[in-house]
């Protein structure tokens, strides 16, 4: 269902408030409704209760808030919490309550509440009675409220969340962190996620479209219905329709199929991600019983051992990143603009594919990937029966795995962006002789829901995943961190379709460099050098993967770990003993990852540009490190450049250090990878380098192709921090209460040169119709709350995220002030909501 399209059209979101109850829409409005947002005006309290579900419970002292909400991101960061889960309070019981009224005339309809995700162990109560539950925090679920709903009076819905400590190997967030909807359906209706649109035959003249529709008759008698499906293109023009009648037996759920044709279809591709919409009407005579809108794309995907991944017949090298679900300073509370920004930053790096590690993503992520032309591996689980953490999903495996997997596929199967279903990441059953049995069960479930996409998994045991035959049970085989074995795997299994489901795992801190460059963390430091040489034993520099992919073109491509830093898993910090115990606190204050090509705020690290130089064509050049090496005058500083041009010239204080040719002039890289047995460095053809004795001033890199300058970058030695510069990514936002402007805060010297090592604390003040939704700086060791009103710049930069209020009109003025640096301002104005 394309809720986002309806949201954009502003349909059905009219909800007035009567006292503190939400009055739901009247019948007339319902006619055009698919759903009603149920996000606003919830009461929230942390703490245990045995009575908070009851209607007479007094919640007046509770906090009032709108969803989506992540309580754990509010912090504080504390060594008492597990750094593996972000050093934030992700566990404990908490309650949400909401009062609402439903008009009497809605009696007779089926009423559902639909949660897109609650973290976790959710229990749902209506008027004191438990009506639903869902342990897995990443999966959406619908609860039927009909039999417990009171019409024309106040109802109380209460949701208990009880996340446990160490339920994940990363920061899971906590609370009702995805959208909630309420839906009224006639007794005859289309089920939740009840359409599946397939395009089995596509030519340039036509596409066959098969629309499977799950019809539900909850009445005690047989009924005849007509079902009409209209296909519209993105301009809203009708390009096909079909109308047919069906008999539904009493209390029957039945899948019917309608077949249509689209003439001269506009294909969904990465360059032009055309979408179509199927609008299905279920009627009896002239009475409309249900209306359901599904978006889909016309596209053909193939995975072939020799040719690789073909999209509409064209080979596409997967230039992928793994992404965890948090949004840095915003935590896990889903926000469309935050995701859009994240994906755009990744696209600008050259990314064309996302792996939703290691769980079902938010709906909005897939909607955006559909719109932005990114392909997705939709991953279900990080563990099966055998757990990896104390309170992992393995506890719920027996009862819930099938339901959750089916729910994931049914929810996501119409997204053209989704190209594979991953049944698991680094599943420990790889080490068990009968591990294949569970793989077979899950693959079978997946195929029973969708035969149009292959099943995959990410294996980190080679050859055990093969010996124990898990790899034989899936269609496309993902290996995590084995680039050196690609050739051997392809030799042994020439018919397999293989890719790097997780690659590199290189770690770094943005803008931080240790001298001399060594493949290890400097003694006593909690930061990691940005020359991209350091990682856990399975990690390796991106250069090795690039090389192995070039040598093994049959490999589909890679999904590097990770696009953005994420909260939790602060590798390479965290002792081995603590790893097994699950406690990583000895390396406190490190509490978020160092793996990202971009940091927790989305600011690119050097590695971002290394990928960009390999994955994009638009001329670029990047140079590192910074040029503020006071006290190292005369010492050698290795200067590295990344480019997609042919050559780069380095100029230091006006003196040329000569041109280096990409692919010919190699850079030695010290490696620590477990498979790299040789003492010899890796000779990288992806970096150009010069050894330069340090003198303060300016370094410039100029990139040439065909002897013509195509790109240039320069870095100057900065003087003392002098003032602040603010850069808002958007100066106009929507007044829908959700939209964001990301304001970058930079400290510069008196001449405007960026201060690469500044660490000043910045105070933020906001005026106008907006709030500070989060602050951050990308420092994995910073304990400053991400929800406060100040943040220190980390290596010169910080971020303030501004959110406009609903129906806001007064422009938002953000003022940033620091001791000795004065203040700077930025203005963000509103455009009316669509
Ligand atoms: C992988 C794992 C990821 C992450 C990564 C860090 O083994 O699948 O979730 O932990 O290592 O290098």
């Amino acid at each position: 269902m394309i809720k986002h399209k309806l949201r954009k059209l502003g349909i059905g979101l009219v909800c007035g408030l009567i006292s503190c109850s939400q009055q739901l829409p009247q019948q007339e409005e319902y006619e055009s409704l698919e759903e009603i947002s149920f996000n606003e005006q919830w009461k929230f309290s942390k703490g245990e209760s045995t009575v908070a579900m009851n209607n007479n419970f007094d919640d007046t002292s509770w906090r009032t808030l709108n969803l989506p909400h992540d309580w754990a991101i509010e912090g504080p960061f504390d060594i008492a919490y597990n750094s593996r889960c972000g050093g934030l309070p992700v566990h404990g019981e908490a309650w949400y309550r909401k009062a609402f009224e439903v008009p009497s005339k809605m009696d007779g309809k089926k009423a559902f509440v639909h949660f897109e995700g609650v973290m976790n162990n959710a229990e749902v109560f209506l008027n004191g009675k438990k009506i639903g539950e869902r342990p897995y925090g990443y999966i959406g679920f619908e609860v039927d409220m009909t039999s417990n709903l009171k019409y024309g009076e106040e109802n109380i819905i209460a949701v208990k969340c009880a996340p446990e400590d160490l339920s994940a190997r990363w920061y899971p967030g906590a609370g009702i962190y995805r959208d909630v909807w309420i839906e009224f359906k006639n007794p005859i209706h289309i089920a939740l996620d009840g359409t599946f649109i397939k395009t089995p035959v596509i030519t340039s003249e036509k596409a066959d479209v098969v629309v499977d529709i799950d019809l539900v008759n909850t009445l005690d008698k047989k009924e005849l219905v007509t079902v009409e499906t209209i296909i519209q293109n993105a301009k809203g023009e009708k390009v096909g329709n079909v109308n047919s009648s069906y008999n539904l037996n009493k209390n029957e759920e039945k899948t019917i199929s309608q077949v249509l044709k689209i003439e001269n279809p506009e294909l969904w591709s990465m360059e032009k991600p055309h979408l179509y919409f199927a609008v299905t009407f279920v009627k009896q005579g002239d009475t409309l019983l249900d209306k359901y809108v599904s978006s889909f794309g016309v596209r053909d995907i193939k995975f072939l051992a020799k040719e690789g991944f073909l999209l509409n017949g064209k080979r596409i090298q997967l230039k992928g990143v793994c992404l965890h679900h948090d949004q840095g300073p915003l935590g896990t509370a889903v926000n469309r603009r935050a995701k859009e920004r994240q994906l755009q930053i990744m696209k600008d790096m050259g990314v064309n594919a996302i792996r939703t590690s290691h769980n079902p993503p938010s709906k909005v992520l897939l909607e955006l990937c559909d719109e932005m032309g990114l392909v997705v591996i939709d991953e279900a689980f990080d563990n099966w029966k055998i757990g990896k953490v104390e309170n992992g999903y393995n506890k719920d495996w027996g009862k819930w795995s099938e339901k959750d997997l089916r729910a994931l596929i049914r929810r996501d199967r119409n997204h053209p962006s989704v190209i594979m279903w991953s049944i698991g990441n680094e599943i420990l059953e790889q080490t068990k002789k009968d591990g294949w049995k569970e793989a077979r069960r899950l693959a079978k479930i997946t195929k029973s829901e969708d035969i149009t996409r292959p099943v995959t998994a990410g294996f980190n045991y080679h050859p055990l995943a093969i010996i124990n035959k898990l790899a034989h049970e899936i269609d496309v085989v993902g290996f995590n961190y084995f680039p050196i074995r690609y050739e051997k795997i392809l030799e042994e299994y020439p018919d397999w379709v293989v890719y790097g489901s997780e690659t590199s795992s290189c770690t770094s801190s943005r803008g931080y460099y240790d001298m001399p460059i060594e493949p290890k963390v400097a003694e006593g430091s909690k930061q990691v050098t940005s020359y991209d040489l350091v990682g856990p034993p399975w990690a390796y520099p991106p250069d090795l993967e690039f090389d192995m992919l070039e040598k093994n073109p049959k490999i589909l491509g890679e999904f590097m770990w990770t696009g953005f830093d994420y909260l939790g898993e602060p590798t390479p910090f965290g002792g081995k003993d603590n790893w097994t115990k699950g406690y990583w606190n000895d390396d406190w204050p490190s509490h978020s990852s160092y793996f990202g090509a971009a940091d927790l705020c989305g600011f690119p690290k050097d590695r971002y540009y290394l990928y960009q130089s390999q994955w994009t064509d638009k001329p670029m050049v990047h140079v590192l490190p910074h040029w503020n090496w006071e006290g190292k005058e005369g010492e050698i500083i290795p200067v590295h450049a990344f480019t997609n041009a042919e050559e780069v010239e380095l100029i230091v204080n006006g003196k040329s250090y000569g041109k280096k040719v990409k692919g010919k002039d190699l850079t030695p890289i010290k490696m620590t990878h477990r498979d790299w047995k040789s003492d010899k460095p890796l000779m990288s053809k992806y970096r150009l380098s010069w050894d330069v004795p340090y003198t303060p001033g300016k370094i410039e890199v100029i990139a040439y192709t065909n002897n013509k300058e195509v790109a240039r970058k320069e870095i100057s030695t900065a003087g003392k921090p002098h003032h602040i510069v603010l850069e808002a990514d958007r100066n106009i936002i929507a007044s829908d209460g959700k939209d964001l402007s990301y304001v970058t805060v930079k400290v510069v010297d008196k001449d405007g040169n960026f201060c690469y090592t500044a660490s000043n604390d910045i105070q933020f003040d906001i005026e106008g119709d907006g709030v500070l939704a989060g602050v951050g700086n990308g420092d994995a060791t910073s304990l400053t709350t991400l929800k406060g009103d100040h943040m220190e710049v980390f290596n010169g930069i910080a971020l303030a995220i501004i959110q406009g209020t609903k129906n806001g009109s007064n422009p938002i003025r953000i003022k940033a002030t620091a001791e000795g640096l004065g203040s700077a301002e930025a203005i963000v104005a509103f455009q009316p909501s669509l």
Side-chain angles (χ1 to χ4, degrees):
M1 199 186 316
I2 49 151
K3 292 182 169 162
H4 63 293
K5 183 172 180 234
L6 301 172
R7 278 177 221 148
K8 275 189 197 156
L9 296 173
I11 297 173
L13 302 179
V14 198
C15 304
L17 283 177
I18 293 185
S19 59
C20 67
S21 286
Q22 182 177 349
Q23 177 79 33
L24 293 168
Q26 306 298 307
Q27 175 65 24
E28 312 78 64
E29 291 163 64
Y30 164 69
E31 294 300 350
S32 63
L33 284 180
E34 295 291 323
E35 65 210 344
I36 303 158
S37 172
F38 210 44
N39 282 340
E40 291 187 10
Q41 299 280 318
W42 286 74
K43 291 288 203 170
F44 170 75
S45 175
K46 247 185 119 171
E48 294 179 12
S49 174
T50 50
V51 290
M53 71 288 275
N54 295 329
N55 285 23
N56 60 6
F57 179 83
D58 182 4
D59 61 14
T60 41
S61 64
W62 286 18
R63 189 168 142 197
T64 304
L65 50 75
N66 294 338
L67 306 176
H69 173 238
D70 170 7
W71 83 63
I73 196 65
E74 293 163 13
F77 289 111
D78 197 308
I79 193 164
Y81 308 125
N82 204 305
S83 63
R84 199 172 190 188
C85 296
L88 286 163
V90 288
H91 59 284
E93 192 173 310
W95 286 80
Y96 295 83
R97 281 169 56 95
K98 179 176 166 68
F100 65 102
E101 280 178 32
V102 178
S104 310
K105 59 174 137 182
M106 301 294 266
D107 201 353
K109 304 225 174 267
K110 306 282 294 175
F112 299 95
V113 58
H114 176 197
F115 296 90
E116 289 192 7
V118 182
M119 189 61 69
N120 70 337
N121 294 323
E123 291 179 51
V124 182
F125 301 85
L126 182 64
N127 298 325
K129 185 166 178 262
K130 182 165 165 182
I131 56 166
E133 61 179 355
R134 199 74 170 205
Y136 198 29
Y138 297 101
I139 206 78
F141 61 101
E142 181 183 75
V143 182
D144 188 344
M145 302 193 292
T146 319
S147 56
N148 249 51
L149 200 61
K150 297 189 274 187
Y151 294 89
E153 325 173 24
E154 186 174 83
N155 293 276
I156 301 286
I157 184 168
V159 180
K160 173 183 160 185
C161 315
E164 292 164 291
D165 196 10
L166 286 172
S167 66
R169 300 183 295 111
W170 54 85
Y171 173 76
I176 309 182
Y177 73 111
R178 291 182 179 169
D179 289 304
V180 184
W181 307 91
I182 190 163
E183 289 174 284
F184 292 93
K185 295 276 183 190
N186 283 302
I188 297 174
H189 59 265
I190 297 174
L192 173 73
D193 300 323
T195 64
F196 186 12
I197 303 174
K198 290 165 275 189
T199 50
V201 181
I202 303 170
T203 66
S204 53
E205 287 84 44
K206 65 155 183 81
D208 288 350
V209 182
V210 179
V211 186
D212 290 346
I213 301 160
D214 302 327
L215 294 173
V216 183
N217 176 17
T218 61
L219 298 172
D220 264 335
K221 53 185 175 70
K222 195 171 166 177
E223 298 284 344
L224 176 72
V225 293
T226 57
V227 179
E228 180 179 17
T229 296
I230 294 173
I231 307 281
Q232 290 178 353
N233 63 17
K235 289 183 222 139
E237 294 160 350
K238 184 165 145 183
V239 294
N241 77 310
V242 58
N243 204 332
S244 29
S245 298
Y246 302 91
N247 273 311
L248 298 175
N249 288 328
K250 63 177 186 179
N251 296 312
E252 185 184 27
E253 285 195 36
K254 173 173 179 173
T255 304
I256 58 116
S257 270
Q258 296 190 309
V259 181
L260 306 90
K261 277 195 198 332
I262 301 177
E263 307 288 335
N264 306 317
E266 295 191 282
L267 302 190
W268 185 91
S269 66
M270 287 180 173
E271 301 76 31
K272 290 190 179 156
H274 288 293
L275 291 174
Y276 285 95
F277 302 93
V279 190
T280 302
F281 301 92
V282 181
K283 287 184 185 168
Q284 272 186 320
D286 287 338
T287 311
L288 177 66
L289 300 180
D290 205 355
K291 177 185 169 192
Y292 199 104
V293 186
S294 328
S295 68
F296 67 100
V298 178
R299 55 105 176 102
D300 175 60
I301 52 169
K302 285 198 179 62
F303 294 83
L304 304 173
K306 277 198 192 121
E307 293 86 345
F309 168 56
L310 305 186
L311 178 60
N312 303 325
K314 190 175 124 199
R315 184 186 197 277
I316 305 268
Q317 175 85 6
L318 294 174
K319 301 168 181 169
V321 290
C322 299
L323 287 177
H324 268 312
H325 75 311
D326 75 61
Q327 302 158 140
L330 301 180
T332 57
V334 167
N335 180 287
R336 175 171 247 271
R337 172 60 198 156
K339 287 274 170 232
E340 182 185 49
R341 172 181 177 265
Q342 183 180 48
L343 294 175
Q344 191 57 53
I345 291 171
M346 292 292 93
K347 268 192 85 137
D348 293 345
M349 185 172 94
V351 167
N352 62 14
I354 306 289
R355 174 175 180 242
T356 69
S357 46
H358 304 298
N359 43 258
S362 60
K363 283 187 162 198
V364 105
L365 179 113
L366 296 181
E367 290 167 3
L368 286 163
C369 288
D370 285 353
E371 290 167 14
M372 297 170 84
L374 292 158
V375 296
V376 177
I377 297 182
D378 201 342
E379 190 151 88
F381 308 115
D382 190 46
N383 66 267
W384 295 346
K385 279 185 208 161
I386 310 174
K388 296 180 180 172
V389 281
E390 236 164 79
N391 293 308
Y393 179 66
N394 49 306
K395 286 189 180 177
D396 302 304
W397 186 252
K399 184 167 170 204
W400 288 98
S401 58
E402 178 170 350
K403 286 193 190 81
D404 288 340
L405 181 57
R406 287 193 190 280
L408 166 73
I409 298 166
R410 293 174 69 83
R411 188 196 69 171
D412 295 346
R413 59 194 172 172
N414 287 334
H415 289 281
S417 55
V418 175
I419 54 165
M420 290 193 248
W421 304 112
S422 168
I423 55 173
N425 170 63
E426 301 195 344
I427 296 302
L428 291 176
E429 276 78 352
Q430 288 167 97
T431 62
K432 302 286 171 204
K433 278 212 161 52
D434 63 352
W436 62 271
K437 287 189 184 160
E438 202 57 2
R440 178 170 293 183
R441 181 179 78 90
L442 296 167
K444 209 166 149 199
I445 294 169
T446 307
K447 295 211 175 278
S448 73
E449 292 290 348
D450 178 14
I451 46 158
T452 71
R453 297 174 176 90
V455 177
T456 187
F459 296 125
N460 62 327
Y461 285 101
H462 177 265
L464 269 188
I466 299 176
I467 293 172
N468 291 329
K469 299 238 175 301
L470 285 88
H472 296 71
E473 297 297 330
I474 59 171
D475 308 302
V476 177
V477 184
F479 278 111
N480 292 2
Y481 309 108
F482 290 114
I484 295 176
R485 305 191 201 177
Y486 286 157
E487 197 181 333
K488 184 170 184 296
I489 294 167
L490 291 178
E491 229 173 72
E492 286 175 4
Y493 300 95
D495 298 336
W496 280 11
V497 185
V498 180
Y499 68 107
S501 32
E502 234 173 88
T503 61
S504 183
S505 260
C506 205
T507 53
S508 60
S509 306
R510 176 185 44 76
Y512 174 86
Y513 311 90
D514 285 326
M515 297 295 169
I517 56 174
E518 291 292 342
K520 61 178 192 210
V521 172
E523 196 64 39
S525 177
K526 289 282 156 52
Q527 304 296 351
V528 184
T529 186
S530 202
Y531 279 100
D532 292 331
L533 305 169
V534 179
W538 54 90
Y540 49 88
D543 317 54
L544 179 66
E545 187 73 35
F546 295 160
D547 193 34
M548 292 300 148
L549 288 174
E550 275 179 38
K551 289 185 173 135
N552 298 282
K554 283 188 198 163
I555 303 282
L556 305 185
E558 64 164 315
F559 288 79
M560 69 88 133
W561 190 265
T562 44
F564 268 47
D565 277 340
Y566 49 94
L567 290 157
E569 203 178 25
T571 312
F573 305 104
K576 202 159 193 302
D577 291 349
N578 287 334
W579 176 306
T580 43
K581 277 193 248 140
Y583 289 94
W584 285 25
N585 285 342
D586 64 340
D587 278 313
W588 193 257
S590 300
H591 57 265
S592 66
S593 96
Y594 297 75
F595 290 114
D599 71 14
L600 201 62
C601 295
F603 298 131
K605 301 181 188 171
D606 292 303
R607 188 157 68 256
Y608 179 95
Y609 299 100
L610 182 52
Y611 283 97
Q612 197 178 53
S613 71
Q614 180 69 358
W615 286 353
T616 67
D617 297 329
K618 191 172 153 214
M620 55 75 61
V621 63
H622 177 73
V623 62
L624 65 140
H626 59 66
W627 211 239
N628 265 81
W629 294 104
E630 293 79 356
K632 290 198 183 298
E633 285 75 6
E635 287 180 34
I636 294 295
I637 304 290
V639 174
H640 285 196
F642 311 143
T643 186
N644 51 14
E646 287 172 0
E647 315 176 281
V648 176
E649 180 178 14
L650 172 71
I651 296 173
V652 180
N653 293 328
K655 176 184 160 206
S656 175
Y657 276 72
K659 282 185 184 171
K660 300 247 172 173
V661 180
K662 195 167 174 204
K664 188 168 147 259
D665 293 312
L666 310 180
T667 296
I669 296 182
K670 297 181 186 170
M671 293 252 317
T672 55
H673 182 45
R674 59 179 174 197
D675 265 359
W676 192 260
K677 302 284 182 243
S678 151
D679 287 339
K680 280 198 206 143
L682 171 79
M683 297 307 290
S684 172
K685 58 179 183 184
Y686 306 97
R687 314 183 190 203
L688 299 169
S689 58
W690 298 258
D691 283 342
V692 179
Y694 177 64
T695 44
K698 186 163 89 173
I699 58 174
E700 288 170 274
V701 277
I702 306 168
Y704 299 89
T705 293
N706 287 332
N707 292 321
K708 267 184 40 204
E709 177 181 332
V710 290
R712 93 167 38 214
K713 215 173 204 174
E714 61 178 56
I715 293 182
S716 296
T717 307
K720 285 205 181 77
H722 180 265
H723 61 274
I724 302 168
V725 175
L726 296 187
E727 288 164 12
D729 71 339
R730 295 151 90 227
N731 288 105
I732 296 186
I733 59 172
S735 56
D736 58 3
K738 297 176 182 168
D739 207 2
L740 304 170
S741 178
Y742 281 75
V743 182
T744 300
V745 182
K746 288 186 180 160
V747 170
V748 297
D749 70 7
K750 66 177 179 10
D751 301 319
N753 294 312
F754 177 62
C755 295
Y756 286 88
T757 56
S759 57
N760 310 68
D761 191 44
I762 313 283
Q763 171 68 39
F764 298 105
D765 294 290
I766 301 275
E767 279 171 22
D769 294 339
V771 293
L772 206 50
V775 290
N777 64 9
D779 176 1
T781 69
S782 170
L783 298 180
T784 308
T785 171
L786 302 173
K787 287 286 183 185
D789 62 359
H790 73 103
M791 179 55 70
E792 65 281 5
V793 290
F794 174 58
N795 293 329
I797 316 184
L799 176 72
I801 309 170
I802 293 175
Q803 185 161 43
T805 42
K806 196 167 175 183
N807 302 322
S809 57
N810 295 314
I812 308 162
R813 178 187 299 266
I814 177 169
K815 186 166 152 196
T817 314
E819 212 183 310
L821 304 185
S823 60
E825 284 188 0
I827 307 270
V828 177
F830 288 99
Q831 74 185 24
S833 264
L834 290 178

